[in-house]
Amino acid sequence: MGLNQGMQPIAGYNFGAKQYPRVTQVLKITIYAATIVTTIGFLMGMFIPQLAVSIFTTHEELVNISAKGLRIVVMFFPIVGFQMVTSNFFQSIGMASKAIFLSISRQVLVLIPCLLILPRFYGQLGVWISMPISDLIASLIAGGMLWCSSVSSERQLPDLFIPILFRRDTYVLLEILTEERLSREIQLCCNFLDGEIGVFEQLFGFGNYHL
Protein backbone atom coordinates (compact mmCIF):
# COMPACT_ATOMS: atom_id res chain seq x y z
CA MET A 1 0.00 0.00 0.00
CA GLY A 2 2.80 2.43 0.84
CA LEU A 3 4.59 1.67 -2.42
CA ASN A 4 1.41 2.26 -4.40
CA GLN A 5 0.72 5.56 -2.67
CA GLY A 6 4.26 6.66 -3.41
CA MET A 7 3.99 5.66 -7.06
CA GLN A 8 0.65 7.30 -7.83
CA PRO A 9 1.62 10.99 -7.71
CA ILE A 10 4.88 10.37 -9.57
CA ALA A 11 3.25 8.33 -12.33
CA GLY A 12 0.27 10.66 -12.58
CA TYR A 13 2.38 13.82 -12.77
CA ASN A 14 4.74 12.45 -15.42
CA PHE A 15 1.88 10.94 -17.43
CA GLY A 16 0.19 14.32 -17.50
CA ALA A 17 3.48 15.94 -18.54
CA LYS A 18 3.88 13.29 -21.28
CA GLN A 19 7.13 12.09 -19.75
CA TYR A 20 6.32 8.51 -20.67
CA PRO A 21 9.80 7.01 -20.12
CA ARG A 22 9.60 8.23 -16.52
CA VAL A 23 6.16 6.66 -16.15
CA THR A 24 7.54 3.33 -17.35
CA GLN A 25 10.53 3.66 -15.05
CA VAL A 26 8.50 4.34 -11.91
CA LEU A 27 6.16 1.47 -12.77
CA LYS A 28 9.05 -0.96 -13.14
CA ILE A 29 10.72 0.18 -9.92
CA THR A 30 7.47 -0.14 -7.97
CA ILE A 31 6.80 -3.61 -9.38
CA TYR A 32 10.32 -4.73 -8.43
CA ALA A 33 9.97 -3.35 -4.90
CA ALA A 34 6.51 -4.86 -4.43
CA THR A 35 7.75 -8.22 -5.68
CA ILE A 36 10.58 -8.16 -3.14
CA VAL A 37 8.13 -7.42 -0.32
CA THR A 38 5.67 -10.14 -1.33
CA THR A 39 8.50 -12.62 -1.88
CA ILE A 40 9.63 -12.05 1.69
CA GLY A 41 6.10 -12.88 2.80
CA PHE A 42 6.18 -15.96 0.60
CA LEU A 43 9.44 -17.18 2.15
CA MET A 44 8.13 -16.63 5.67
CA GLY A 45 4.93 -18.50 4.88
CA MET A 46 6.82 -21.41 3.36
CA PHE A 47 9.70 -21.84 5.78
CA ILE A 48 8.48 -20.49 9.13
CA PRO A 49 4.66 -20.79 9.01
CA GLN A 50 4.37 -21.90 12.64
CA LEU A 51 6.22 -18.82 13.83
CA ALA A 52 4.05 -16.54 11.72
CA VAL A 53 0.81 -18.13 12.93
CA SER A 54 1.90 -18.25 16.58
CA ILE A 55 1.93 -14.43 16.60
CA PHE A 56 -1.88 -14.53 16.51
CA THR A 57 -2.66 -17.67 18.53
CA THR A 58 -0.98 -20.14 20.87
CA HIS A 59 -3.51 -22.95 20.39
CA GLU A 60 -1.37 -25.87 19.23
CA GLU A 61 -3.93 -27.58 17.00
CA LEU A 62 -4.96 -24.30 15.40
CA VAL A 63 -1.31 -23.41 14.79
CA ASN A 64 -0.69 -26.73 13.04
CA ILE A 65 -3.77 -26.43 10.82
CA SER A 66 -3.07 -22.80 10.00
CA ALA A 67 0.59 -23.49 9.23
CA LYS A 68 -0.38 -26.07 6.62
CA GLY A 69 -2.91 -23.71 5.13
CA LEU A 70 -0.49 -20.80 5.10
CA ARG A 71 1.93 -22.71 2.90
CA ILE A 72 -0.85 -23.15 0.35
CA VAL A 73 -2.16 -19.60 0.60
CA VAL A 74 1.21 -17.96 -0.12
CA MET A 75 1.97 -20.23 -3.08
CA PHE A 76 1.67 -17.42 -5.66
CA PHE A 77 2.35 -14.57 -3.26
CA PRO A 78 5.41 -13.23 -5.16
CA ILE A 79 3.24 -12.16 -8.11
CA VAL A 80 0.55 -10.51 -5.98
CA GLY A 81 2.66 -7.36 -5.73
CA PHE A 82 2.58 -7.03 -9.52
CA GLN A 83 -1.21 -7.29 -9.59
CA MET A 84 -1.69 -4.67 -6.87
CA VAL A 85 0.78 -2.24 -8.43
CA THR A 86 -0.83 -2.60 -11.86
CA SER A 87 -4.25 -1.82 -10.43
CA ASN A 88 -3.01 1.34 -8.74
CA PHE A 89 -1.01 2.30 -11.83
CA PHE A 90 -4.17 2.44 -13.96
CA GLN A 91 -5.76 4.60 -11.29
CA SER A 92 -2.82 7.00 -11.26
CA ILE A 93 -2.97 7.58 -15.03
CA GLY A 94 -6.72 8.15 -15.07
CA MET A 95 -7.95 4.75 -16.27
CA ALA A 96 -10.47 4.38 -13.47
CA SER A 97 -12.57 1.60 -15.00
CA LYS A 98 -9.55 -0.68 -15.43
CA ALA A 99 -8.32 0.13 -11.93
CA ILE A 100 -11.69 -0.71 -10.38
CA PHE A 101 -11.96 -3.93 -12.35
CA LEU A 102 -8.51 -5.08 -11.25
CA SER A 103 -9.18 -4.05 -7.65
CA ILE A 104 -12.21 -6.32 -7.39
CA SER A 105 -10.93 -9.11 -9.65
CA ARG A 106 -8.75 -10.80 -7.04
CA GLN A 107 -10.91 -10.64 -3.91
CA VAL A 108 -14.40 -10.63 -5.50
CA LEU A 109 -14.66 -11.78 -9.11
CA VAL A 110 -12.31 -14.75 -8.72
CA LEU A 111 -12.01 -15.54 -5.02
CA ILE A 112 -15.72 -15.68 -4.14
CA PRO A 113 -16.65 -18.13 -6.93
CA CYS A 114 -13.67 -20.30 -5.95
CA LEU A 115 -14.79 -20.31 -2.31
CA LEU A 116 -18.28 -21.30 -3.36
CA ILE A 117 -17.28 -24.05 -5.79
CA LEU A 118 -13.99 -25.65 -4.72
CA PRO A 119 -14.95 -26.65 -1.13
CA ARG A 120 -17.79 -28.72 -2.57
CA PHE A 121 -15.23 -30.96 -4.25
CA TYR A 122 -12.14 -30.67 -2.06
CA GLY A 123 -13.50 -29.77 1.37
CA GLN A 124 -11.15 -27.75 3.57
CA LEU A 125 -8.42 -27.96 0.95
CA GLY A 126 -10.73 -26.18 -1.48
CA VAL A 127 -10.85 -23.19 0.87
CA TRP A 128 -7.07 -22.99 1.06
CA ILE A 129 -6.42 -23.35 -2.67
CA SER A 130 -9.00 -20.71 -3.54
CA MET A 131 -6.62 -17.92 -2.59
CA PRO A 132 -3.59 -18.94 -4.69
CA ILE A 133 -5.89 -19.63 -7.63
CA SER A 134 -7.40 -16.14 -7.32
CA ASP A 135 -3.90 -14.64 -7.00
CA LEU A 136 -2.73 -16.38 -10.17
CA ILE A 137 -5.79 -15.58 -12.28
CA ALA A 138 -5.94 -11.95 -11.13
CA SER A 139 -2.23 -11.49 -11.88
CA LEU A 140 -2.65 -12.95 -15.36
CA ILE A 141 -5.57 -10.62 -15.99
CA ALA A 142 -3.53 -7.64 -14.77
CA GLY A 143 -0.60 -8.60 -16.99
CA GLY A 144 -2.87 -9.01 -19.99
CA MET A 145 -4.54 -5.65 -19.45
CA LEU A 146 -1.20 -3.91 -18.98
CA TRP A 147 0.16 -5.47 -22.17
CA CYS A 148 -2.98 -4.62 -24.17
CA SER A 149 -2.88 -1.02 -22.93
CA SER A 150 0.78 -0.77 -23.95
CA VAL A 151 0.11 -2.12 -27.44
CA SER A 152 -2.94 0.11 -27.85
CA SER A 153 -1.06 3.26 -26.81
CA GLU A 154 1.72 2.50 -29.31
CA ARG A 155 -0.80 2.71 -32.16
CA GLN A 156 -2.21 6.08 -31.16
CA LEU A 157 -1.07 9.49 -32.34
CA PRO A 158 0.00 12.04 -31.41
CA ASP A 159 1.12 10.65 -28.04
CA LEU A 160 3.25 7.85 -29.44
CA PHE A 161 6.72 6.72 -28.47
CA ILE A 162 8.50 4.50 -30.95
CA PRO A 163 11.63 2.61 -29.84
CA ILE A 164 14.13 2.65 -32.73
CA LEU A 165 17.25 0.46 -32.81
CA PHE A 166 20.36 2.12 -34.20
CA ARG A 167 23.90 0.97 -34.75
CA ARG A 168 26.08 0.87 -31.64
CA ASP A 169 23.07 -0.63 -29.79
CA THR A 170 21.66 2.84 -29.22
CA TYR A 171 17.97 3.21 -28.41
CA VAL A 172 16.20 6.51 -28.93
CA LEU A 173 12.66 7.32 -27.86
CA LEU A 174 11.23 9.55 -30.60
CA GLU A 175 8.15 11.48 -29.53
CA ILE A 176 5.85 12.12 -32.48
CA LEU A 177 3.62 15.06 -31.63
CA THR A 178 2.96 16.98 -34.86
CA GLU A 179 4.03 16.81 -38.48
CA GLU A 180 6.05 19.99 -38.10
CA ARG A 181 7.83 18.86 -34.95
CA LEU A 182 8.82 15.52 -36.44
CA SER A 183 11.58 17.03 -38.61
CA ARG A 184 12.99 18.92 -35.62
CA GLU A 185 13.03 15.76 -33.51
CA ILE A 186 14.84 13.89 -36.27
CA GLN A 187 17.45 16.65 -36.55
CA LEU A 188 18.07 16.62 -32.78
CA CYS A 189 18.43 12.86 -32.70
CA CYS A 190 20.76 12.92 -35.68
CA ASN A 191 22.97 15.47 -33.96
CA PHE A 192 23.06 13.24 -30.92
CA LEU A 193 24.02 10.19 -32.94
CA ASP A 194 26.85 11.95 -34.85
CA GLY A 195 25.78 11.26 -38.39
CA GLU A 196 23.35 8.38 -38.16
CA ILE A 197 21.13 10.20 -40.68
CA GLY A 198 20.93 7.25 -43.04
CA VAL A 199 18.83 5.33 -40.51
CA PHE A 200 16.17 8.05 -40.47
CA GLU A 201 16.12 8.33 -44.26
CA GLN A 202 15.58 4.58 -44.55
CA LEU A 203 12.87 4.49 -41.88
CA PHE A 204 10.92 7.62 -42.77
CA GLY A 205 11.90 8.48 -46.33
CA PHE A 206 12.59 12.12 -45.55
CA GLY A 207 14.94 14.35 -47.53
CA ASN A 208 18.49 15.29 -46.69
CA TYR A 209 19.30 16.84 -43.35
CA HIS A 210 22.54 18.69 -42.88
CA LEU A 211 24.34 18.09 -39.58
Side-chain angles (χ1 to χ4, degrees):
M1 183 63 70
L3 292 171
N4 288 328
Q5 290 179 348
M7 176 198 67
Q8 285 182 346
I10 300 174
Y13 176 83
N14 285 284
F15 185 82
K18 299 181 181 179
Q19 297 291 332
Y20 302 121
R22 294 183 181 180
V23 177
T24 302
Q25 183 181 16
V26 71
L27 175 61
K28 289 181 179 179
I29 292 174
T30 309
I31 289 175
Y32 295 153
T35 301
I36 292 173
V37 173
T38 52
T39 301
I40 292 173
F42 164 79
L43 294 175
M44 292 179 61
M46 282 294 182
F47 296 106
I48 52 171
Q50 289 86 359
L51 179 61
V53 173
S54 63
I55 297 175
F56 304 96
T57 181
T58 57
H59 193 281
E60 184 177 356
E61 183 178 0
L62 182 58
V63 168
N64 293 331
I65 295 174
S66 300
K68 294 179 181 178
L70 185 59
R71 284 195 175 96
I72 300 174
V73 169
V74 300
M75 187 178 300
F76 292 110
F77 218 56
I79 63 176
V80 171
F82 165 77
Q83 194 273 341
M84 298 176 66
V85 170
T86 303
S87 174
N88 282 269
F89 172 72
F90 282 125
Q91 179 182 346
S92 66
I93 62 175
M95 298 183 180
S97 58
K98 293 181 179 181
I100 293 172
F101 175 78
L102 289 178
S103 296
I104 65 175
S105 63
R106 177 168 165 254
Q107 299 292 342
V108 178
L109 298 181
V110 181
L111 180 59
I112 291 179
C114 288
L115 289 173
L116 293 175
I117 297 173
L118 295 180
R120 295 177 179 269
F121 299 96
Y122 302 103
Q124 186 184 67
L125 178 62
V127 177
W128 294 123
I129 64 176
S130 295
M131 295 192 68
I133 289 175
S134 66
D135 291 341
L136 177 61
I137 294 176
S139 297
L140 292 175
I141 293 173
M145 291 180 65
L146 187 62
W147 182 82
C148 290
S149 297
S150 175
V151 172
S152 176
S153 64
E154 288 178 358
R155 295 175 180 174
Q156 296 177 359
L157 289 176
D159 300 328
L160 173 61
F161 280 82
I162 304 178
I164 306 174
L165 177 61
F166 295 92
R167 293 192 298 270
R168 306 173 191 170
D169 296 326
T170 302
Y171 283 91
V172 173
L173 287 176
L174 175 63
E175 179 186 14
I176 301 178
L177 295 177
T178 62
E179 185 70 23
E180 294 76 18
R181 186 174 178 182
L182 181 57
S183 298
R184 183 167 64 88
E185 294 291 334
I186 292 177
Q187 183 65 52
L188 292 174
C189 289
C190 288
N191 291 336
F192 172 76
L193 292 171
D194 295 329
E196 298 279 357
I197 184 61
V199 179
F200 286 98
E201 291 178 350
Q202 293 175 11
L203 290 173
F204 297 98
F206 288 104
N208 295 327
Y209 289 86
H210 300 287
L211 301 177

